[in-house]
Amino acid sequence: MSTLQTVARGDNPTRSSGSSTRAGAARRWRLPRSAGWLGAVPLLLFAALVFGLPAGTMVFGALTTPETVPGGARFTGANMSASLHGPYLTALIGSVKLSAVSALIAAVVGLPVAHAVVTSRFRALREAVLAGAGVLANFGGVPLAFAFVATLGNAGVLTTRFHLLGHGWNLYSFWGLTLVYLYFLIPLMVLTLAPALEGLRRQWREAAHNNGASTFRYWMHVALPILMPSLLGGYVLLFGTAFSAYATAAAMVGSSVPLVTMQIADALSGNVLVGQDNVALALGVDMVLVAGLVMAVQVPLQRRSTRWLA
């Protein structure tokens, strides 16, 4: 009778039995929910090997004395204290100042450029500009320094042509290095802001205009408040990029502009004082702390921006 009722309901007893068997097998092979994190084990191992091991070695070296000193390695806070005094503190402040100024200028210039690119009617031009920005954002190091030295150095083409030295121009200074950093920070800001600008809906502008708002008031009261998390997140990203840059500054200005990356290189190579390796590791810890603070600011801003523009 039960079989007839099953057939009458349209179910096939044999198929149901097979489905039950497959479901039972699936339940037997299904991993517990608590074991789902096992899929992240390769990533965790990679992160521990590539990031955790160097970071742990750096922190240990920053908090211990060199093994070559009498008594061997022992815990001390002298390295961290030294990294926050004298020329090391000056270099740390110089890096923060250079990163903050260059990131601010890049954010101010990058916003209208990104808006012009996003609202362009020519799709091919827009894609070409974004592709070029992707290339320029990753163009740095010695080639970039050489290009600027050949163009705007003391004997550069434009310096000689327009007699820039007579007007006080100096590429190997704070503002010269800022100009070089803008070469890759502005394209990076354009790439960062383009998705956020694409998220601005046309209906918001039309609604603002229908209520009598001018373009300026639309940007001040609608667009900029929505874009502010993306702007701040992009600024933080640019700050971190400029803060960690080394090769361009090393090839162009050396130690004439105090930067923490230059101090780390000098301490590791014994350029000024011998046996300052652990102080260099302490400076690295300072940079990691600043980068961690930057990331702590960027992540919630990025989440808020994503929620607004979703």
Side-chain angles (χ1 to χ4, degrees):
M1 184 61 183
S2 59
T3 303
L4 293 176
Q5 291 175 347
T6 303
V7 173
R9 289 196 304 267
D11 298 337
N12 189 332
T14 305
R15 184 182 302 174
S16 300
S17 177
S19 302
S20 301
T21 303
R22 288 193 296 272
R27 282 195 295 271
R28 286 196 298 272
W29 286 101
R30 184 179 301 168
L31 293 174
R33 179 173 300 178
S34 60
W37 60 270
L38 290 176
V41 168
L43 176 62
L44 295 176
L45 291 177
F46 177 80
L49 181 63
V50 177
F51 298 104
L53 184 60
T57 303
M58 182 176 62
V59 173
F60 179 78
L63 298 177
T64 57
T65 58
E67 295 182 355
T68 55
V69 300
R74 61 182 184 278
F75 285 100
T76 179
N79 298 322
M80 294 299 299
S81 177
S83 68
L84 298 175
H85 290 85
Y88 301 120
L89 178 61
T90 303
L92 186 61
I93 295 175
S95 290
V96 172
K97 181 180 176 183
L98 175 65
S99 305
V101 172
S102 58
L104 178 62
I105 297 175
V108 172
V109 177
L111 176 59
V113 174
H115 182 262
V117 171
V118 170
T119 57
S120 175
R121 298 179 181 178
F122 304 100
R123 183 175 180 180
L125 176 62
R126 172 185 168 187
E127 293 179 353
V129 172
L130 291 178
V135 174
L136 295 179
N138 293 282
F139 185 71
V142 177
L144 179 62
F146 176 77
F148 269 88
V149 169
T151 306
L152 291 171
N154 291 340
V157 176
L158 296 181
T159 304
T160 305
R161 176 67 178 83
F162 296 103
H163 307 287
L164 296 180
L165 293 179
H167 296 83
W169 168 251
N170 182 15
L171 179 64
Y172 314 107
S173 62
F174 176 86
W175 290 109
L177 192 58
T178 300
L179 177 65
V180 177
Y181 278 16
L182 291 178
Y183 188 83
F184 58 85
L185 290 181
I186 292 176
L188 182 58
M189 192 64 181
V190 172
L191 293 177
T192 304
L193 285 181
L197 288 169
E198 289 177 347
L200 289 178
R201 300 174 184 175
R202 188 179 58 184
Q203 292 85 349
W204 297 343
R205 177 190 290 270
E206 294 175 352
H209 290 337
N210 291 337
N211 285 280
S214 61
T215 302
F216 177 78
R217 292 178 65 85
Y218 161 74
W219 275 97
M220 291 301 297
H221 297 285
V222 179
L224 281 180
I226 294 175
L227 292 174
M228 191 54 66
S230 297
L231 281 171
L232 295 178
Y235 175 80
V236 169
L237 177 63
L238 300 186
F239 178 89
T241 302
F243 188 70
S244 61
Y246 166 72
T248 303
M252 201 176 75
V253 299
S255 299
S256 60
V257 177
L259 298 175
V260 66
T261 51
M262 299 296 104
Q263 290 290 343
I264 292 176
D266 291 341
L268 289 177
S269 63
N271 189 22
V272 180
L273 295 175
V274 180
Q276 298 296 307
D277 298 7
N278 292 52
V279 177
L281 296 176
L283 288 171
V285 172
D286 295 338
M287 291 191 67
V288 171
L289 293 177
V290 174
L293 180 62
V294 167
M295 292 298 297
V297 174
Q298 183 192 12
V299 171
L301 290 175
Q302 196 66 33
R303 288 179 179 174
R304 184 174 180 181
S305 174
T306 304
R307 185 171 66 251
W308 266 101
L309 299 173

